[in-house]
Amino acid sequence: MATLSIFTCVIGEPEALLNTANSIAPWLSNDVVWIIKFSEKTSKNFIANFSGKHIQVYQESDSSLYDALNQCLKKSLTDYYMVLGAGDTILPDGMSQLIKELSKNTFTHHAYHAPLLVELSNNIFNPAPNQMKHGMSCPHPTSILKVKNSLAIDGFDLSYKIASDYDHLSRYAIAFGDGHLLNISPPVSYMGGGISDIRALESYMEALLIRQRIWNIPDMRIFGDLLKFTALPISETIAQNTP
């Protein structure tokens, strides 16, 4: 069976992490481990709530989420990994299907992409690896990558504050291929409401830079996509403020 790490990087003491822990617990084994990386400001008492068998807990200083993920990569001893935020939860139907896939001798592709349930909208985000050059077409929490491959491309780029996951998936796809689609139910429910939602424009701007730098998308396509992205909010603002 292929082995899997689930990375969760935690700032402070979010109550929602308990939901994540409760959903992950039934799936932990010698082959599936949970690596939790806490910031240096998290109290020892809070961290103690998440100790247990097949759970690896670390507390170190870091400069960002992506610095913390790079720390997780260096500590992981499994074949593959996936990333869950504090508050994201494992869905039983999808996870049981994923575990069955992991147990197959054919689970050897460089990357796998599964659907994601977006909790806020109750919609399913279906991955489209061949569309990565046009945007984040594969949900990061249900992208299952090889640890050694992510390390080989130097992990997550710390120059991006919001969209480094898109940069990493893009560079990973270019280096190792699009990956394999998993025809399973969503194994993860994404809570949302994080920095990529709060600072959506900045996130989009970083994604545009990645598309140019990594995918060599021409200026005119970037201009067109930026115009499309901004046209609706601009037109709505004009309509609301002009009699």
Side-chain angles (χ1 to χ4, degrees):
M1 177 172 175
T3 54
L4 175 71
S5 290
I6 302 172
F7 297 165
T8 300
C9 300
V10 183
I11 298 174
E13 302 180 5
E15 291 184 8
L17 185 61
L18 290 169
N19 297 331
T20 306
N22 290 334
S23 72
I24 288 177
W27 308 101
L28 296 179
S29 67
N30 290 333
D31 300 310
V32 180
V33 299
W34 188 22
I35 296 179
I36 317 173
K37 196 279 172 186
F38 289 96
S39 71
E40 72 279 12
K41 295 181 179 179
T42 305
S43 72
K44 300 296 183 183
N45 287 338
F46 184 80
I47 292 173
N49 294 320
F50 303 95
S51 61
K53 195 174 182 180
H54 310 304
I55 299 175
Q56 300 173 28
V57 173
Y58 300 97
Q59 185 176 29
E60 297 178 38
S61 61
D62 58 66
S63 60
S64 67
L65 164 64
Y66 300 112
D67 187 23
L69 285 175
N70 284 339
Q71 293 173 359
C72 290
L73 280 170
K74 292 174 183 177
K75 295 181 184 301
S76 177
L77 299 177
T78 58
D79 302 313
Y80 293 88
Y81 74 97
M82 59 192 293
V83 178
L84 264 66
D88 295 348
T89 53
I90 294 294
L91 298 173
D93 287 349
M95 193 62 178
S96 64
Q97 294 172 53
L98 174 57
I99 296 296
K100 288 179 182 178
E101 293 293 329
L102 282 167
S103 67
K104 295 179 180 178
N105 292 332
T106 54
F107 200 92
T108 56
H109 288 275
H110 290 299
Y112 292 87
H113 301 286
L116 177 75
L117 177 65
V118 181
E119 187 175 317
L120 287 174
S121 62
N122 199 36
N123 289 327
I124 293 177
F125 181 173
N126 289 303
N130 61 352
Q131 295 298 309
M132 189 69 72
K133 69 179 182 179
H134 296 307
M136 189 70 164
S137 62
C138 293
H140 191 214
T142 49
S143 289
I144 301 159
L145 310 181
K146 283 193 171 183
V147 173
K148 67 176 183 179
N149 288 357
S150 285
L151 288 170
I153 59 172
D154 298 322
F156 292 84
D157 188 336
L158 303 188
S159 66
Y160 299 103
K161 300 303 180 185
I162 304 175
S164 190
D165 49 355
Y166 175 45
D167 169 85
H168 188 77
L169 286 176
S170 294
R171 290 186 292 110
Y172 194 103
I174 289 170
F176 305 109
D178 290 343
H180 182 75
L181 285 172
L182 287 173
N183 185 25
I184 62 175
S185 302
V188 173
S189 175
Y190 170 67
M191 184 176 72
I195 190 171
S196 60
D197 296 322
I198 296 169
R199 292 158 60 179
L201 178 58
E202 185 179 351
S203 175
Y204 186 70
M205 297 296 286
E206 284 193 352
L208 292 180
L209 287 173
I210 292 163
R211 290 173 64 200
Q212 277 211 319
R213 293 170 177 174
I214 304 302
W215 295 103
N216 298 313
I217 301 299
D219 287 355
M220 190 54 63
R221 177 60 190 263
I222 297 294
F223 290 148
D225 289 349
L226 183 58
L227 179 62
K228 183 178 180 180
F229 181 81
T230 56
L232 182 59
I234 291 172
S235 64
E236 288 182 344
T237 299
I238 292 171
Q240 291 170 6
N241 292 279
T242 304

